[in-house]
Amino acid sequence: MLNDIYNKRIIELAGNIPRLGRLPDPDATATAHSKLCGSTVKVDLKMEGDTVTDFAHDVKACALGQASSSIMASHVVGSTASELRELRETVRKMLKENGTPPEGKWEDIKLLEPVRDYKARHASTLLTFDAVVDAIGQIEAKSKLPATAQG
């Protein structure tokens, strides 16, 4: 039942999204869009080495996209690239393969577990994770360029 996915805690997360806006000088910007529902999440990321040092996002999404973006924004700074890639895969498996939700600092994602029964909602729930991993990939690709090519 849809009330299972739009519970009080999801609505609270969606209504209190930290780090909204844009960074003035991000290392990378990535946008993820769901064609199915029209939701869009744009993230700005700064990294030092392998670790996220700053984050901001513009979230134009349904309550589920807002809730997952809220969880991401609460914990992304200080996270590593490999941790965030693993997180995206864990959330994808949780939704699509009945995998277990993450634990530790990301345990709030378990609130999104009922979404697995609503395939049409998977894309909006995954937007923030996809955008963050995309931005990390952009930053890593830039760091591999020769200094003269970075301009």
Side-chain angles (χ1 to χ4, degrees):
M1 188 163 168
L2 255 116
N3 287 345
D4 294 338
I5 61 173
Y6 294 108
N7 62 52
K8 182 180 178 204
R9 186 68 182 117
I10 292 292
I11 301 305
E12 285 172 1
L13 285 166
N16 296 294
I17 305 172
R19 298 181 168 273
L20 283 173
R22 304 295 308 274
L23 294 180
D25 189 24
D27 294 331
T29 298
T31 302
H33 177 74
S34 169
K35 291 179 183 158
L36 191 61
C37 68
S39 292
T40 301
V41 174
K42 182 178 282 194
V43 303
D44 290 335
L45 207 60
K46 284 189 88 59
M47 294 183 79
E48 209 167 278
D50 197 37
T51 304
V52 175
T53 57
D54 206 357
F55 172 89
H57 54 171
D58 183 23
V59 182
K60 305 262 190 281
C62 66
L64 297 171
Q66 291 173 17
S68 60
S69 292
S70 182
I71 295 166
M72 175 63 76
S74 295
H75 303 293
V76 68
V77 173
S79 298
T80 64
S82 59
E83 175 188 353
L84 292 164
R85 282 190 176 100
E86 185 178 315
L87 175 67
R88 179 185 60 174
E89 187 59 17
T90 299
V91 175
R92 188 193 67 73
K93 285 181 178 175
M94 177 186 83
L95 294 176
K96 298 184 179 294
E97 300 172 13
N98 289 331
T100 56
E103 296 178 351
K105 71 180 181 183
W106 299 105
E107 71 182 52
D108 278 350
I109 291 171
K110 73 177 179 256
L111 297 165
L112 298 164
E113 201 170 4
V115 176
R116 79 166 42 120
D117 296 330
Y118 302 91
K119 255 188 150 121
R121 304 291 195 272
H122 290 185
S124 61
T125 304
L126 288 166
L127 288 175
T128 190
F129 304 100
D130 291 340
V132 165
V133 168
D134 181 3
I136 289 168
Q138 291 177 40
I139 293 167
E140 290 173 343
K142 282 185 209 169
S143 71
K144 291 179 179 141
L145 289 174
T148 55
Q150 290 183 21

